[in-house]
Amino acid sequence: MSTEEHAPQPPLGSGPRYEDPYAHALRDGRGPLYMRRMDGGVLSSEVDRWCAAPDPADMSVLRRCKGAVLDIGCGPGRLVSALRALGHLVLGIDINSAAVARTADTGGAALCRSVFERLPGEGFWNTALLMDGNIGIGGDPPALLERIGSLVSPGGGLLLVEAAAHDVDERLHVRFDDGRGRLGRPFPWAHVGMAALRRTAAAAGWQPGEHWSVGDRHFLELKRCAKSRPAHTRRQG
């Protein structure tokens, strides 16, 4: 969700009519869908890609996964299904019930739950994923990275993160917008590029590893430092 683009302005009316354009898009399996910043800008939401089979960029991440995998913000579950087919024990989590339902429809295991809530297997997961800009979850990357540190296995847990293609580090509020009158409720988000991700990860007890790109998508491997302090839950999201 990291590409700036133009989108239709919300229609004028007597006031906001909150719906769930993200859920509608997942049920349809296609967009348009935009992540509209409250300051007027727009971030793209590639819902058509999320609802399709994993592409080469996705597969470059999945090939690096080890052992049991937790997909944080799994969306419609394309990665959960692919990892299951590759023989991994995998669980997706998402706060949107439509996303969890679509993941289950493809045969994947998923829970409708925030990463900041209690989760199965805390401290057990070998690999965690933050794909499709999900480093933005909760609008607080330090808190998110610290929380994930308590979910992966200590002294060897792996986190694979997708970051923005350009140098950016900002906190904002956004809402989903389908450009056709459906507007979601505002929620906190973060927009983070590779340099900022490296800094934030190191401060949260992660050791940056391999950085690679496929097309215009950029990824970073993070390893949990053996002597990192325990993470603390600080917010819901």
Side-chain angles (χ1 to χ4, degrees):
M1 304 179 189
S2 58
T3 304
E4 298 283 353
E5 63 174 41
H6 298 290
Q9 290 297 316
L12 296 176
S14 58
R17 179 171 58 90
Y18 294 124
E19 294 191 33
D20 191 348
Y22 177 57
H24 281 282
L26 292 187
R27 293 187 189 106
D28 293 342
R30 62 181 185 277
L33 183 69
Y34 309 98
M35 186 178 276
R36 187 176 295 278
R37 302 165 56 120
M38 302 310 288
D39 63 8
V42 174
L43 305 176
S44 70
S45 293
E46 300 176 83
V47 67
D48 298 69
R49 178 173 63 78
W50 303 339
C51 292
D55 61 17
D58 295 327
M59 293 306 301
S60 75
V61 175
L62 301 190
R63 285 193 295 268
R64 289 170 167 83
C65 289
K66 299 177 181 178
V69 183
L70 181 67
D71 186 3
I72 299 166
C74 66
R78 76 186 189 282
L79 305 181
V80 173
S81 298
L83 285 164
R84 179 172 175 266
L86 290 171
H88 289 272
L89 172 65
V90 55
L91 175 69
I93 60 169
D94 203 291
I95 62 171
N96 190 283
S97 58
V100 172
R102 183 161 178 135
T103 300
D105 286 345
T106 65
L111 290 177
C112 190
R113 198 168 298 179
S114 164
V115 65
F116 295 102
E117 296 179 70
R118 187 71 182 173
L119 294 171
E122 297 202 8
F124 160 78
W125 299 99
N126 303 112
T127 305
L129 299 179
L130 283 175
M131 294 284 281
D132 305 319
N134 283 338
I135 184 62
I137 287 173
D140 189 344
L144 178 60
L145 291 170
E146 188 179 353
R147 169 58 176 152
I148 295 172
S150 71
L151 300 175
V152 299
S153 55
L158 187 66
L159 174 59
L160 303 175
V161 188
E162 182 171 359
H166 50 289
D167 189 14
V168 61
D169 186 13
E170 57 182 350
R171 314 293 177 263
L172 56 157
H173 278 74
V174 298
R175 62 181 178 181
F176 282 114
D177 175 5
D178 67 359
R180 296 174 292 189
R182 293 192 183 105
L183 297 173
R185 293 185 180 276
F187 58 93
W189 194 251
H191 193 200
V192 180
M194 192 60 64
L197 174 58
R198 286 180 177 274
R199 292 192 301 269
T200 305
W206 293 91
Q207 179 181 349
E210 183 184 7
H211 165 214
W212 75 99
S213 61
V214 178
D216 61 355
R217 296 174 64 190
H218 296 261
F219 308 95
L220 181 64
E221 176 187 81
L222 299 172
K223 296 179 181 179
R224 192 61 177 165
C225 300
K227 296 182 179 180
S228 300
R229 62 188 176 90
H232 300 284
T233 300
R234 294 196 291 191
R235 67 163 64 220
Q236 294 291 313

